[in-house]
Every structure is written in structure tokens, then in C-alpha cells.
Amino acid sequence: MNFLFGLLLAPSSAGFVPPPLPVIDTIGARDSGGPSLAGWAPGPVTCNDGTPVDTAGLVHPLKGLWRDSMARGDVTLRFDIDASGRAISIEDRYSPGADLGPALAASHFPAAAREGCSITFTPKEIPIAAATIGDLAAYTMDPISGRLPGQGWSRLWGEGDCMERPRPQVLTRAYPDFRKVPAKPGVREWALVSYDLDANGKPVHARIMTGSGNQALEKESVKAVARSRFTGGARQACRFPYWLKPGTVPAPPMPGPGDQPKNASCPAEKQWAVPPTLRFPPAYGRRRIEGWAIIAYDVAPWGAIGNARVVQAQPSDAFGRQALQMLQQAKLASSPQGATGCVARVRFAMEPQAGSRTDADAVEPETEF
């Protein structure tokens, strides 16, 4: 008997809600030197049919901090492209927390189904001293592998006096009208605003220092800084970032329940001694990428789950591994004969964005047994 788990993930920072004060405002103790940034240079996309694939819609993986393990060489991901141009069936075996597979799942290629595709990413070390301000600021928006070293913070703040003590204190922190800024599926958008303060603590000369390129967010961010107010004292080269979390990337269609396997003895009603604990693959949750997995398994008389295997998972095999781990950590109530031929259908879904939802959008997790 098939059964369906549904997981609604509600990240701690909901979209269209003013972000918390960012790390960029709290320098603290600074390191000396520190690791370089680690980027990934993508190669061309090749598929079995030999037709060149336009990569203009490729989403580049987030940069991390350079580690010795990064030097081990190129990473090749294999995948297919569906008729809409989405990357599916991604073989994401590099690292559970890495952004290579999620970035590929957020990408969009020309609408044409292709099979047997691959792309190779080459690690690229970027010394902090040579990194662009945009790269340094982008890392602070998604610090996936640790805090930016002090040298990076120094470059971000430049030669201004805004962080000299006593630092200006916030009296009013205004935020963009996020309703006017459409979220980009799978991509966190951001804008870093630079501004000065006049003697009364009013921001002047607000301008975009760098950002992800979302013009609507940049416009609203400059307006938000202009509405903010601080304690008095003229200052130069202050900085503040605004960000908008990614829009949701829906999962590819999930096939309907199939026929029960021959000789299956899985009961329709299940009693869990240790219920499955649903967890979203964190790297895909960061980009709000939904997915699903179909898992086949047997049950021992004492309730332990065994012979569990992934039948199918989309858009990446990471969802299959996550669902498999979920079931292997669960346990059914004991029974005289156990069970064979059980199938679990696990759906990973994001909670609707706050600020854009209505009561009708408040969908409860699906759980059918």
C-alpha cells in the first residue's frame, strides 16, 4: 500500500518580512588574513544529442570559503532537461551542504527535453584581497561555510568613518516595500546601499554600492535608507544591505500511486512506534526548491525498516537520500509477520511566502496512510 508524507518547510526568516540586522553591522573581533573565497567556474552543458545548450539561464553556485578539500579538482554533475527547460534527475553526490546541485536545480535552459546532460564545475580560489566588493557582499548574504574574514569586512567598509566609536545608533530603520519586488525562484536577491549621514543623523547621498542586479529591489532599498534615521553626527560611507529570499521552485510533477508490487503484504493501516521525522534537504531548502521521493521498503516483525531503496526522486537524488534516511530512522509497531512491498511517497514542499499568502494558501501537510 502506498502512503504519502508531505513536508511543509517554514524557514526562520519569512519572505516579505523585514530582515534582521545583518552580520555586516556587527564587525566584532577581526581576523588577520583568513581563507580565500571559493568560487566555481562552470563549463559548457553537453547532452547525448550533441546539440549545444544555451547556458544564459544557468544559476551560479554560491561562493564559500576556500578549504583544502576544495583543491581536489573538478566536479561533474549529470542530469536531464525536461520539456520546460528545467534540470531534473540531478545526480548530486558532491556534498550534502554544497550549492552545486541546488544552483543547477534553480537554473533554466531553453525549453527542449534532453537526456544525458552534464556540466563540470572547476573550483576557483579568490584571495580576499583580490575579490570584488560584490563577491564579498554576496557572501555575507549567504555565508554557507563560515564568517567572512576580517580582511573582507575591512574592504567592505572602506575608508569611511561610519563604524568609528561611538557608532551611530538606529532610531528608525525603514525597509523596502517588498510587495513591489518580485522574488526570483531559487535565487536570493539583495542590494547593498551606501550612504552618508548629516549632522542630524539623516541619510544623504544614498546610492547602490553593489547588488544582485534586481532594479526594483535597488530602487526600494535606496528609498528605505532615505526614510531611516540615526543618532546625530556627520558620517561618511555607511553601509546597509537588504535582501529578499528566493521564490519557490515547485517540484516536477509526481507520478500517481502505482499498483501494489506482486506478493506485497504491506498493511493499509500502519502503527508507528517511532514516527518518521520529516526534514528538508538543507541546501535545497536554502533556495526554496521543492522535491519528492518514492521509497520502497520492507518491515521486520519487530518493526525495523529494512531493504529500503529509492525508486525515484526529483529534481535531485538528494531528496531520495533524505527520504531514505527519514524512513531508516523510523520504526513500525511489531507484528507477527512483518511486511513486504511497502511504498512511501514523500513530498517536500515549502510553506507559502508570508506576505503573499491568503487563508486559502494555508495548506496543511498531507499525510495519507
Side-chain angles (χ1 to χ4, degrees):
M1 173 67 71
N2 292 345
F3 65 97
L4 175 68
F5 288 106
L7 171 61
L8 277 169
L9 179 65
S12 58
S13 53
F16 302 99
V17 171
L21 290 180
V23 178
I24 199 171
D25 259 5
T26 55
I27 294 180
R30 292 180 170 178
D31 308 325
S32 58
S36 302
L37 291 180
W40 292 96
V45 172
T46 59
C47 300
N48 284 346
D49 61 10
T51 305
V53 178
D54 185 354
T55 57
L58 179 69
V59 173
H60 287 243
L62 297 172
K63 292 178 175 63
L65 295 181
W66 185 268
R67 311 289 186 191
D68 290 339
S69 60
M70 290 286 297
R72 60 184 172 183
D74 296 352
V75 175
T76 298
L77 299 184
R78 293 176 172 80
F79 61 101
D80 297 331
I81 299 175
D82 69 12
S84 72
R86 286 193 56 183
I88 59 171
S89 304
I90 300 169
E91 297 180 9
D92 184 7
R93 305 299 176 92
Y94 175 61
S95 171
D99 190 50
L100 297 179
L104 184 57
S107 301
H108 203 85
F109 302 101
R114 293 182 171 89
E115 295 182 345
C117 303
S118 66
I119 183 171
T120 297
F121 293 92
T122 300
K124 180 182 178 182
E125 183 176 9
I126 308 169
I128 294 294
T132 67
I133 295 300
D135 281 345
L136 296 173
Y139 183 80
T140 68
M141 302 298 147
D142 272 300
I144 64 174
S145 55
R147 191 173 181 272
L148 183 69
Q151 185 183 10
W153 291 114
S154 296
R155 291 197 59 214
L156 278 173
W157 283 105
E159 301 301 324
D161 61 357
C162 199
M163 293 305 293
E164 292 182 2
R165 297 183 185 276
R167 298 173 184 171
Q169 300 300 303
V170 178
L171 298 177
T172 301
R173 175 71 74 189
Y175 291 91
D177 184 350
F178 288 112
R179 294 171 298 180
K180 297 180 179 180
V181 185
K184 185 175 181 179
V187 177
R188 181 187 294 255
E189 304 235 70
W190 57 276
L192 179 60
V193 183
S194 180
Y195 59 97
D196 304 326
L197 294 176
D198 67 15
N200 296 317
K202 179 181 178 180
V204 294
H205 309 134
R207 65 273 187 196
I208 294 297
M209 184 176 182
T210 184
S212 61
N214 186 316
Q215 294 184 0
L217 178 60
E218 291 178 358
K219 180 179 178 180
E220 289 298 317
S221 296
V222 169
K223 290 163 59 176
V225 164
R227 297 195 307 270
S228 299
R229 293 293 182 269
F230 302 84
T231 50
R235 298 297 180 103
Q236 291 184 325
C238 300
R239 313 272 193 260
F240 193 80
Y242 294 98
W243 54 265
L244 179 66
K245 76 178 181 182
T248 300
V249 180
M254 189 178 191
D259 296 332
Q260 192 173 22
K262 292 182 179 180
N263 302 319
S265 61
C266 198
E269 298 293 333
K270 296 179 178 64
Q271 300 295 322
W272 293 97
V274 180
T277 300
L278 294 161
R279 295 187 179 91
F280 214 95
Y284 287 83
R286 182 193 300 124
R287 288 191 178 272
R288 295 185 65 87
I289 295 170
E290 299 182 334
W292 52 263
I294 300 174
I295 308 294
Y297 65 100
D298 300 329
V299 184
W302 53 91
I305 290 177
N307 194 27
R309 61 271 187 204
V310 179
V311 176
Q312 193 176 356
Q314 289 292 359
S316 163
D317 57 10
F319 290 94
R321 291 193 299 274
Q322 190 78 13
L324 193 65
Q325 181 184 53
M326 173 197 77
L327 281 173
Q328 289 172 333
Q329 293 175 347
K331 185 178 180 181
L332 284 156
S334 59
S335 62
Q337 71 284 347
T340 59
C342 298
V343 177
R345 295 159 49 80
V346 185
R347 192 188 306 274
F348 298 86
M350 305 298 299
E351 182 176 324
Q353 295 273 30
S356 63
R357 62 182 285 174
T358 65
D359 291 340
D361 295 323
V363 181
E364 293 296 325
E366 295 176 272
T367 308
E368 297 178 2
F369 295 93

